[in-house]
Amino acid sequence: MCGINGIAYSPTSRRQVDEKRLIAMRDVLIHRGPDDSGVFVDGNIGLGHRRLSIVDVEHGAQPIFGSHRSSVIVYNGEIYNHGDHRAELIARGHKFTTHCDTETILHLYEEHGRDCVDYLRGMFAFAIWDKNKRELFLARDRFGVKPLYYVHDQDGSLFFASEIKSLLEVGAVKPEINFNALPDQFANHGTSGDETLFAGVKGLLPGHTLTWKDGKIDVHEYWDLEFEPKNESRSDAEYVEEWSDLFRKSVELRLMADVPLGMFLSGGIDSSAIAAVMSTMVSEPVKTFSVAFNEREANELEYARLVARKFKTDHHEITITPRQFFEALPKLVWHED
């Protein structure tokens, strides 16, 4: 998990990015990226990044620049198939200076422009400033695993960040309730469109990109979920085998890291299945973590312990008291925006 942020002042505003304000906006997100940080300022454009180092720990600091420093990226996420594109990009003349997935996104953008998202398999939110086109390009993954919020104000300036608190820090909007979003929030425990509970703040929807140029934005849907029944005559065993192969591959893809890996283990079907498969793919015992409450009816630790014993994981538990929960509630609300 990393944190990204940025400011793009409309050319008509004649405003220049203040690096101190950009850094203040960035460092509200230090909990997302305590390992490293960076900024990029180009007149009316500013990008910020807080890094949690997972891939290419030594050389993956951001922002990262493209060919001839004509493009620059800040990014949060993991691209599981970045290695699949690397050889082809090198063959086409792209020069890599790191082994991180961030740089692959940037070279794919240089090669395919906005269509670069079609080549990415993973979870991501990123921003690319294209100096030649004077365009800012934002993108979010297909299922919205990684968050990305933005404010497009009246003069055409754009502010974006991984969390809303970063937008509030720089004064992009006043923290006011968006009453239009309340019914959706109460009914669905969250907003289902691009509206948020903060007036003037929108979320870039999953499977969408946003392009900003000269104060105007263009939001584009590049992917949506489709389901077409195959109507194939196959046995249950064949379907089970296909699902098992897909599941194992999905777990394997998410083990991409240059640091130790762990997982949350509730003891339910989902996390137990992941623990079972993951334990066959790593050399060291899987580090598992479970959280529970003191109350018996809200404590499922025994199920997690059964799984941990079965697959010989390096198991860790945290038990929370009601007092601890309520003491932490203000901080939890802050983190949830």
Side-chain angles (χ1 to χ4, degrees):
M1 180 172 66
C2 297
I4 66 174
N5 67 286
I7 301 171
Y9 286 128
S10 171
T12 58
S13 72
R14 300 186 182 279
R15 300 180 68 184
Q16 303 290 293
V17 172
D18 181 343
E19 186 171 320
K20 290 182 179 179
R21 293 188 73 210
L22 185 68
I23 290 173
M25 183 186 187
R26 179 199 70 189
D27 287 351
V28 174
L29 305 175
I30 192 170
H31 54 281
R32 298 185 68 91
D35 296 333
D36 200 0
S37 62
V39 292
F40 164 80
V41 176
D42 179 15
N44 63 319
I45 306 298
L47 304 177
H49 186 263
R50 293 287 336 182
R51 187 182 186 213
L52 181 66
S53 304
I54 302 294
V55 177
D56 198 357
V57 175
E58 292 185 11
H59 306 106
Q62 298 183 41
I64 286 181
F65 294 88
S67 304
H68 311 296
R69 298 181 71 89
S70 61
S71 56
V72 57
I73 185 173
V74 288
Y75 151 71
N76 169 35
E78 278 193 293
I79 304 301
Y80 306 125
N81 66 338
H82 75 103
D84 298 341
H85 299 297
R86 194 178 182 94
E88 180 185 351
L89 288 165
I90 291 173
R92 295 180 71 88
H94 294 268
K95 298 184 187 305
F96 283 77
T97 59
T98 75
H99 294 284
C100 65
D101 49 343
T102 313
E103 194 174 5
T104 301
I105 299 173
L106 191 54
H107 288 304
L108 284 170
Y109 172 81
E110 291 177 334
E111 192 70 31
H112 302 288
R114 303 178 191 182
D115 293 335
C116 66
V117 290
D118 296 331
Y119 296 82
L120 304 177
R121 181 175 184 179
M123 51 182 181
F124 54 84
F126 64 81
I128 295 175
W129 169 241
D130 189 322
K131 191 171 184 178
N132 292 337
K133 295 181 179 179
R134 305 301 296 178
E135 283 185 357
L136 182 65
F137 179 67
L138 311 183
R140 193 175 178 203
D141 63 73
R142 291 165 178 78
F143 286 100
V145 178
K146 294 302 180 182
L148 191 57
Y149 300 95
Y150 69 94
V151 172
H152 186 221
D153 67 16
Q154 291 182 345
D155 75 0
S157 297
L158 182 74
F159 305 81
F160 70 88
S162 298
E163 297 181 19
I164 295 174
K165 60 181 66 64
S166 179
L167 302 173
L168 301 179
E169 180 69 21
V170 78
V173 290
K174 294 180 180 180
E176 297 176 341
I177 294 176
N178 177 10
F179 288 99
N180 291 331
L182 280 179
D184 199 8
Q185 176 74 30
F186 290 144
N188 302 308
H189 305 288
T191 53
S192 52
D194 62 358
E195 296 283 327
T196 72
L197 285 178
F198 288 81
V201 178
K202 290 189 174 183
L204 185 61
L205 290 175
H208 281 66
T209 63
L210 183 154
T211 304
W212 176 94
K213 185 173 184 176
D214 294 334
K216 297 180 180 179
I217 64 171
D218 175 34
V219 178
H220 170 69
E221 180 184 78
Y222 69 89
W223 184 87
D224 196 8
L225 182 65
E226 294 181 357
F227 175 71
E228 296 180 6
K230 296 179 181 179
N231 296 319
E232 296 177 353
S233 179
R234 298 168 64 187
S235 67
D236 287 352
E238 289 174 311
Y239 281 118
V240 169
E241 183 178 1
E242 180 186 14
W243 184 91
S244 178
D245 289 342
L246 289 169
F247 181 67
R248 290 182 64 85
K249 183 60 176 177
S250 295
V251 173
E252 183 181 16
L253 284 171
R254 285 155 180 81
L255 300 182
M256 182 186 77
D258 296 328
V259 293
L261 290 160
M263 63 165 291
F264 289 115
L265 178 62
S266 69
I269 292 174
D270 296 348
S271 64
S272 299
I274 294 170
V277 171
M278 188 174 171
S279 66
T280 68
M281 296 178 175
V282 295
S283 56
E284 299 292 327
V286 176
K287 295 183 184 296
T288 53
F289 300 84
S290 300
V291 181
F293 292 100
N294 267 336
E295 288 72 21
R296 183 181 179 86
E297 64 274 11
N299 190 316
E300 298 179 331
L301 285 179
E302 190 51 43
Y303 300 110
R305 290 167 184 164
L306 284 170
V307 177
R309 287 195 293 268
K310 171 67 177 177
F311 299 106
K312 298 180 174 57
T313 73
D314 180 7
H315 190 57
H316 306 266
E317 295 178 353
I318 297 174
T319 302
I320 299 173
T321 66
R323 179 176 179 178
Q324 287 174 315
F325 173 79
F326 285 107
E327 286 178 347
L329 194 54
K331 191 68 172 177
L332 291 173
V333 172
W334 182 82
H335 275 295
E336 292 285 345
D337 282 334

